[in-house]
Amino acid sequence: MIPDNIKEYFKSDSCTFDFKKQIVPEYKHPHELVNWILYSSGWPYFPVSLPNAPYLEMLKEAQALEPLFNPHRIDTDIPSEYSNKGWSSLCLHGESWNKTDHWASYEENKSKTQKDIIYDWCEEITDLCPTTTKYFKEQFPYESYDRLRFMYLAPGGYIQQHVDRDTSLLSPINISLNNPEGCIFRMKDLGDVPFNNNGGACLVDISNPHSVWNNSDTPRIHIIVHGVQNQKFNDIVYNSYVDLIK
C-alpha cells in the first residue's frame, strides 16, 4: 500500500533541469571551473560519465548479494505514512558491512568524533563481489573512501522526502547500476534526477529535499560513494560538463 503523501509527491509532472541555460563563470583553468560546479553552482545534480565502469558485472554481483542486504533507515516508532519501505543497503567499505547509516546515528558512537571512526574494506562483502571491489580499488577516481554502499530499493518501495545535510554541494556520487522504468528520484521543485537503467552516475546535492519511489516490478540497485576525490575525478567532471553543453 502506497501512502497518500508519496502518491501526492509524485503526482505532478516531472521537470528537467536545463544546464544549458545556467550562467557559468568564465574560468581560465579547468580546475577552477570544476570547483565552481561542485561547491558554488547550486545545481541540484550533475551527470558524470565514468569511463569503463563495469555496470552490468557490478549489477549481477549486487543482485547475487540480495539476501544479505540490511534494512536502511527503517523506523518502526513513527507513523507508517512517514516511514520508508523496501530500502536496504550493504557496505563494501565502511565501519562494518551492516552499518550503512551515518556514523553519528549509532548509539555506540555517541561519545566519539568523526576522527575516531575507522573505515575499511568489508571483506565479508568484497570477497563476494570481486569485479566491483577491483573497480573501486584500482580504477575509480577517489584517493580514499568513507562509506561505499550498495543501495537497494525493492519493487513498490519508497523513500520519504528528506535532506541529508545542511550544506549545499554536489556530493556524494550516486551510481545507477540499474534504474527501472517507473523508478523516480525526485528533488522537490527541481525535477527528477536522470538516472539511466543501463548504468550511469550523477553527483547529487542532498541538501535539497528528495524522495524516491520504485513504482516498478524490478529492484533498483545503486552505489553511493563517499570519500576523497583525486585529479582524475576533476578531469571526469570537466569532460562531463563539456559533453553536457554541446
Side-chain angles (χ1 to χ4, degrees):
M1 190 67 146
I2 303 300
D4 289 341
N5 67 317
I6 288 289
K7 292 180 181 178
E8 186 67 25
Y9 188 88
F10 288 93
K11 184 172 68 174
S12 61
D13 293 334
S14 65
C15 59
T16 302
F17 188 79
D18 192 345
F19 289 94
K20 292 184 179 181
K21 291 184 177 180
Q22 304 306 306
I23 298 175
V24 180
E26 292 187 11
Y27 290 106
K28 295 181 180 180
H29 195 284
H31 179 71
E32 295 176 326
L33 175 60
V34 169
N35 277 344
W36 180 84
I37 290 172
L38 296 178
Y39 304 110
S40 302
S41 67
W43 294 346
Y45 61 84
F46 182 72
V48 292
S49 176
L50 299 175
N52 304 314
Y55 293 114
L56 181 57
E57 294 86 348
M58 292 194 293
L59 175 62
K60 289 179 178 177
E61 289 184 341
Q63 289 170 332
L65 291 170
E66 184 173 336
L68 298 177
F69 275 77
N70 190 61
H72 185 68
R73 294 188 187 176
I74 303 299
D75 192 339
T76 57
D77 296 328
I78 58 179
S80 60
E81 182 180 4
Y82 300 103
S83 61
N84 305 302
K85 177 185 176 183
W87 195 15
S88 55
S89 182
L90 201 60
C91 282
L92 289 90
H93 191 278
E95 287 188 83
S96 69
W97 69 273
N98 58 356
K99 293 180 75 170
T100 59
D101 211 341
H102 189 271
W103 66 269
S105 66
Y106 295 101
E107 187 64 31
E108 59 268 31
N109 291 339
K110 293 300 183 183
S111 62
K112 298 179 181 179
T113 63
Q114 187 165 6
K115 67 180 181 180
D116 299 319
I117 305 302
I118 298 174
Y119 297 107
D120 205 349
W121 294 100
C122 305
E123 293 183 358
E124 305 95 326
I125 303 304
T126 57
D127 287 349
L128 300 175
C129 49
T131 298
T132 305
T133 301
K134 180 179 175 66
Y135 172 66
F136 283 103
K137 283 186 174 182
E138 299 180 6
Q139 290 183 259
F140 197 75
Y142 271 44
E143 293 287 348
S144 61
Y145 298 102
D146 296 334
R147 283 179 298 162
L148 169 58
R149 302 168 290 165
F150 289 118
M151 303 299 293
Y152 178 100
L153 190 59
Y158 50 83
I159 303 168
Q160 293 283 355
Q161 178 181 294
H162 66 286
V163 297
D164 293 291
R165 63 161 173 258
D166 298 327
T167 307
S168 176
L169 73 152
L170 284 168
S171 178
I173 187 165
N174 188 316
I175 301 171
S176 169
L177 301 185
N178 75 323
N179 201 83
E181 185 176 353
C183 184
I184 303 171
F185 185 123
R186 180 161 296 177
M187 289 192 166
K188 182 175 173 59
D189 302 324
L190 294 168
D192 299 343
V193 181
F195 287 116
N196 193 320
N197 189 40
N198 298 314
C202 282
L203 287 157
V204 184
D205 183 352
I206 52 177
S207 71
N208 294 301
H210 56 283
S211 179
V212 187
W213 181 16
N214 185 6
N215 187 21
S216 80
D217 59 3
T218 303
R220 182 221 74 166
I221 305 179
H222 285 197
I223 295 176
I224 296 181
V225 188
H226 296 264
V228 179
Q229 303 129 356
N230 60 23
Q231 180 56 47
K232 184 179 177 183
F233 175 84
N234 291 337
D235 295 340
I236 286 173
V237 173
Y238 179 76
N239 291 334
S240 297
Y241 174 74
V242 172
D243 290 340
L244 193 64
I245 62 173
K246 282 182 180 178

